[in-house]
Amino acid sequence: MLILMDIKLLSGALGAEISGINLKDSSLENWNIINNLLLEHKALFFRDQDISSEEQINLAKRFGPLERHIYVKGRDKYPEILRIIKEPDEKRQWGETWHTDVSYNPKPTKVIILRSLKIPPVGGDTMFSNMEIAYETLDDKIKDKIDNKKAIHSSLGAAAFTEDYKAMEGNGNLDEYSNAHPMVRTHPETGKKILYVNSMYTKKILDLEKNESEDILNEIFRHQERLDFTCRFKWTENAVAIWDNRSTLHQGLTDFFPGRGLGHERVMDRIAIEGDHPQ
Ligand code: SIN
């Protein structure tokens, strides 16, 4: 099959907007093209994709088994789809500072597929950051300190977070989860090294004193959140973002201010695909 595809890079660091691919098509052939693009660009964006929930699920299943969120209730009819809702009068939204999804799990999410249903006229873009570049450009002295270290990722505070968002419903689980992961992991498909910590969930470096751990983590957080490692996607309705949760950080921007984005709803459907034990 001949596919006429256009690839527009979003920044020098990562991210590509793809046209000419229909996400209704979850054939192995179409998925192979998407997955190869994903491994290269880490975050892919597709506009005008009027796909159904079933079609979003079918595409997601090509990447692997689907993951239910540990704290947030899925949709009644499609429990594997988590609906992210910002009500018109809310100034905050889910996923609002730099993070890697559920890195406190033993096997954090592999890939996310996020589809936009309602988008404010302005505000609520999503940003992504490339953790392969963050590792490559890390100071050698810090690399030496962390290359064989693990850090604790914890969901402390995350269990009750649905209370902060009016229309997001918890699933009743309030347990806290912590897991230690290598600070530098190897991507299971590309073999590239990835800086694997994030300021939302990474709490402490194992085998280091509290102060030393804090100093190193703060220095790494400042480094990995540099704007030159990022790209920014401006949503339109019926757009789809697919990102590699292993090699990126992301955040939904909460720039909802009076006379601009405030007063408008933002609604997204999110599907997560199960990952593996970071190595
Ligand atoms: C997320 O953090 O998974 C959601 C990001 C967004 O809604 O832009």
Side-chain angles (χ1 to χ4, degrees):
M1 183 175 56
L2 178 69
I3 294 187
L4 287 175
M5 189 168 57
D6 189 49
I7 302 174
K8 188 177 127 214
L9 302 188
L10 258 68
S11 79
L14 83 165
E17 191 168 325
I18 312 292
S19 50
I21 286 193
N22 182 356
L23 299 184
K24 282 177 182 286
D25 175 3
S26 55
S27 65
L28 187 58
E29 193 182 7
N30 206 34
W31 174 79
N32 268 323
I33 295 168
I34 295 169
N35 194 47
N36 286 333
L37 288 168
L38 185 64
L39 294 176
E40 184 176 350
H41 300 290
K42 299 186 170 46
L44 303 177
F45 309 100
F46 305 82
R47 294 196 194 271
D48 303 317
Q49 298 282 337
D50 190 14
I51 60 171
S52 64
S53 299
E54 287 85 357
E55 285 163 342
Q56 189 179 355
I57 290 170
N58 289 341
L59 180 64
K61 281 184 175 163
R62 280 284 177 205
F63 287 93
L66 305 189
E67 173 190 87
R68 301 272 177 99
H69 198 277
I70 210 157
Y71 297 123
V72 188
K73 198 166 172 289
R75 291 176 60 198
D76 288 341
K77 191 165 169 208
Y78 303 102
E80 53 281 87
I81 299 183
L82 189 161
R83 187 155 279 183
I84 301 173
I85 303 173
K86 182 202 87 72
E87 299 273 23
D89 60 335
E90 283 185 297
K91 292 185 178 158
R92 298 182 57 193
Q93 74 175 354
W94 204 63
E96 61 192 18
T97 60
W98 285 117
H99 64 286
T100 301
D101 279 0
V102 301
S103 66
Y104 46 80
N105 279 350
K107 297 197 288 179
T109 311
K110 172 184 181 184
V111 166
I112 299 279
I113 303 185
L114 191 65
R115 180 165 78 100
S116 56
L117 304 175
K118 284 189 187 160
I119 292 298
V122 65
D125 300 350
T126 306
M127 295 203 59
F128 298 85
S129 185
N130 183 336
M131 289 304 106
E132 232 175 72
I133 295 182
Y135 178 72
E136 279 163 24
T137 53
L138 195 61
D139 189 282
D140 282 340
K141 286 195 214 99
I142 302 274
K143 275 187 182 161
D144 288 345
K145 285 185 184 162
I146 66 164
D147 265 343
N148 294 307
K149 285 270 186 293
K150 285 187 169 185
I152 304 275
H153 297 239
S154 158
S155 65
L156 182 69
F161 74 133
T162 44
E163 290 163 10
D164 295 337
Y165 308 99
K166 283 187 185 168
M168 305 284 294
E169 204 183 330
N171 61 13
N173 180 19
L174 292 177
D175 291 345
E176 189 192 316
Y177 300 88
S178 296
N179 277 285
H181 297 305
M183 296 180 74
V184 182
R185 72 181 285 188
T186 304
H187 195 288
E189 288 172 84
T190 64
K192 293 275 176 61
K193 285 188 169 183
I194 300 161
L195 184 58
Y196 197 66
V197 295
N198 66 89
S199 57
M200 192 182 274
Y201 300 127
T202 312
K203 308 295 179 195
K204 186 172 181 305
I205 303 175
L206 281 184
D207 306 324
L208 290 190
E209 292 300 324
K210 187 169 174 286
N211 286 351
E212 190 182 6
S213 161
E214 264 174 27
D215 289 348
I216 296 175
L217 281 178
N218 286 336
E219 188 165 346
I220 294 177
F221 295 152
R222 262 197 311 278
H223 171 78
Q224 72 178 169
E225 295 173 5
R226 272 171 50 178
L227 290 181
D228 43 346
F229 302 156
T230 69
C231 73
R232 175 172 179 155
F233 184 60
K234 193 167 268 308
W235 292 93
T236 41
E237 279 170 21
N238 279 329
V240 174
I242 303 179
W243 69 87
D244 184 341
N245 188 59
R246 301 161 292 189
S247 59
T248 58
L249 302 181
H250 64 278
Q251 70 168 305
L253 294 181
T254 54
D255 53 345
F256 304 112
F257 296 108
R260 299 175 76 87
L262 191 63
H264 298 272
E265 219 180 352
R266 182 179 187 272
V267 184
M268 320 288 274
D269 270 355
R270 169 195 181 275
I271 300 184
I273 294 98
E274 272 180 28
D276 53 8
H277 288 282
Q279 313 263 336

